[in-house]
């Protein structure tokens, strides 16, 4: 008999867990651990445990004999409406509007009425989307009902973003010292090694981005400094909305993954200062690639 219905927080976590599994390209047999999922969702393990249990009760997950859970059935068999998430929906719209602006399909300045007609959106949802874009500096409100899109992915903005990350990420890693969870490092190693075994195709771009984001955010989260983490999360949202397409080819995927794996190896060996130096070099190379021809 099923336990009591999930709480509001647990209900909110259900579609987010399913979305992460979709991003990972998870197939039946994919193992899910409570600790890793809690880190990725940035919540405590208690609500994650309850949400995973609820998914198991609904036949989405299955318990393993030695502990832990595994995906029990293909994700494409799950009803989208059953696991719909307003938060995920807003992120999808944010990404779409950012891409439309980058392609020139969306003008530099636009009114709420224009956006409502263009995307067939109601004003309440539109305002939530625009406010989320405003949080990362992609738009700003004009007097009345107009909105102004900021320049994105221009060379100056890219250079500033990497300069900012170069300042806070290696420093955060030094601050983290021995607080980095070995289980998290092992999970990161597994995901990167798995990515290296895959034959590259465009469908992996989202999974690659989210793995990359989890890696960089996880290093900063280990510092225990909430303000540093909030800063990198804002950068991640900005990059997510404008950079879900991978434009640098499969060789660059291998280089990035191998650099991450080298940083992981140094951290596992307790060589924090070496890892911080490698992280700085990694960001410098990423900046050069981002500013170079594609």
């Amino acid at each position: 008999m099923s336990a009591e219905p999930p709480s509001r927080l647990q209900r909110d976590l259900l579609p987010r867990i399913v979305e992460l599994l979709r991003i990972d390209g998870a197939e039946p047999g994919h193992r899910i651990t409570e600790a890793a999922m809690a880190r990725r969702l940035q919540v405590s393990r208690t609500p994650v445990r309850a949400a995973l249990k609820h998914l198991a009760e609904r036949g989405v997950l299955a318990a393993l004999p030695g502990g832990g859970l595994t995906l029990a059935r293909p994700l494409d068999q799950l009803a989208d409406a059953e696991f719909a998430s307003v938060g995920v929906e807003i992120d999808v719209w944010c990404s779409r509007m950012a891409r439309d602006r980058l392609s020139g399909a969306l003008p530099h300045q636009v009114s709420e009425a224009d956006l409502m007609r263009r995307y067939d959106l109601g004003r309440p949802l539109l305002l939530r989307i625009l406010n989320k874009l405003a949080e990362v500096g992609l738009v700003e409100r004009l007097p009345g009902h107009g909105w102004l899109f900021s320049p994105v992915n221009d060379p100056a903005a890219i250079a500033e973003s990497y300069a900012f990350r170069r300042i806070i990420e290696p420093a955060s890693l030094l601050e983290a010292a021995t607080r980095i969870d070995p289980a998290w490092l092992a999970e990161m190693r597994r995901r990167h090694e798995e990515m290296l075994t895959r034959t590259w195709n465009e469908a992996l771009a989202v999974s690659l981005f989210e793995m990359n984001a989890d890696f960089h955010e996880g290093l900063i989260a280990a510092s225990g400094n909430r303000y540093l983490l909030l800063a990198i999360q804002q950068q991640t949202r900005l990059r997510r909305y404008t950079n879900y397409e991978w434009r640098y080819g499969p060789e660059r995927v291998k280089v990035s993954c191998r650099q991450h794996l080298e940083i992981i190896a140094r951290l596992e060996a307790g060589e924090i200062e070496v890892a911080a130096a490698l992280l700085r070099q990694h960001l410098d190379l990423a900046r050069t690639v981002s500013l170079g021809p594609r």
Side-chain angles (χ1 to χ4, degrees):
M1 185 174 180
S2 175
E4 63 183 54
S7 68
R8 181 175 179 180
L9 173 58
Q10 292 158 15
R11 286 197 306 272
D12 288 343
L13 290 177
L14 295 178
R16 294 174 63 192
I17 291 171
V18 171
E19 183 69 13
L20 285 177
L21 292 174
R22 290 189 201 278
I23 287 170
D24 290 343
E27 298 178 351
H30 179 90
R31 184 163 184 169
I32 297 102
T33 66
E34 175 188 307
M37 192 60 69
R39 279 191 296 271
R40 295 181 71 184
L41 293 168
Q42 296 172 6
V43 297
S44 69
R45 293 175 64 166
T46 301
V48 170
R49 183 182 307 124
L52 292 175
K53 181 180 178 182
H54 191 69
L55 287 172
E57 290 171 351
R58 294 162 76 170
V60 178
L61 305 179
L64 292 169
L69 294 159
T70 184
L71 184 63
R73 56 193 174 105
L75 292 171
D76 57 12
Q77 292 182 3
L78 304 184
D80 289 340
E82 184 180 11
F83 294 98
S85 165
V86 173
V88 170
E89 181 185 11
I90 290 174
D91 277 340
V92 169
W93 279 112
C94 285
S95 296
R96 180 176 172 182
M97 288 187 188
R99 286 196 299 269
D100 285 351
R101 175 65 201 126
L102 286 168
S103 69
L106 199 59
H108 180 57
Q109 185 174 330
V110 66
S111 70
E112 290 173 13
D114 289 338
L115 291 171
M116 290 166 64
R117 284 193 297 269
R118 178 186 293 268
Y119 296 109
D120 193 23
L121 292 171
R123 189 180 297 276
L125 179 56
L126 175 65
L127 290 177
R128 292 184 67 177
I129 295 165
L130 291 171
N131 285 331
K132 193 157 189 179
L133 288 172
E135 287 177 6
V136 295
L138 278 177
V139 296
E140 59 178 293
R141 187 192 289 272
L142 297 171
H145 295 286
W147 292 79
L148 184 70
F149 278 84
S150 305
V152 289
N153 275 13
D154 64 280
I158 292 171
E160 288 176 19
S161 175
Y162 276 106
F164 175 73
R165 293 176 62 195
R166 194 181 191 276
I167 291 169
I168 71 166
E169 291 196 39
S172 297
L173 191 53
L174 292 173
E175 187 76 14
T178 58
R179 287 194 294 269
I180 298 177
D181 185 357
W184 176 80
L185 286 174
E187 175 68 9
M188 282 288 101
R189 174 180 290 283
R190 182 196 67 77
R191 289 173 67 187
H192 281 76
E193 289 176 344
E194 182 181 314
M195 180 64 70
L196 283 172
T197 65
R198 294 187 178 186
T199 300
W200 178 256
N201 61 75
E202 291 184 0
L204 291 176
V206 172
S207 179
L208 174 68
F209 178 91
E210 293 299 335
M211 180 186 72
N212 183 286
D214 288 344
F215 175 75
H216 286 275
E217 287 188 12
L219 294 179
I220 286 190
S223 72
N225 189 310
R226 72 191 72 180
Y227 301 108
L228 290 172
L229 182 58
L230 285 170
I232 198 64
Q233 286 172 342
Q234 185 186 50
Q235 286 290 306
T236 299
R237 286 195 298 273
L238 177 60
R239 292 166 56 226
R240 179 177 288 117
Y241 295 153
T242 61
N243 202 29
Y244 254 171
E245 296 90 354
W246 182 257
R247 295 162 286 185
Y248 308 106
E251 286 306 312
R252 176 60 191 154
V253 175
K254 295 177 183 178
V255 170
S256 180
C257 285
R258 287 168 181 157
Q259 287 180 336
H260 282 190
L261 285 168
E262 179 62 20
I263 293 168
I264 290 169
R266 296 294 184 167
L267 291 172
E268 289 172 331
E271 300 173 4
I272 305 297
E273 292 187 3
V274 176
L278 289 172
L279 179 57
R280 189 176 297 109
Q281 291 174 12
H282 170 69
L283 292 170
D284 287 344
L285 178 58
R287 175 187 180 277
T288 299
V289 172
S290 296
L291 291 172
R294 295 169 182 169

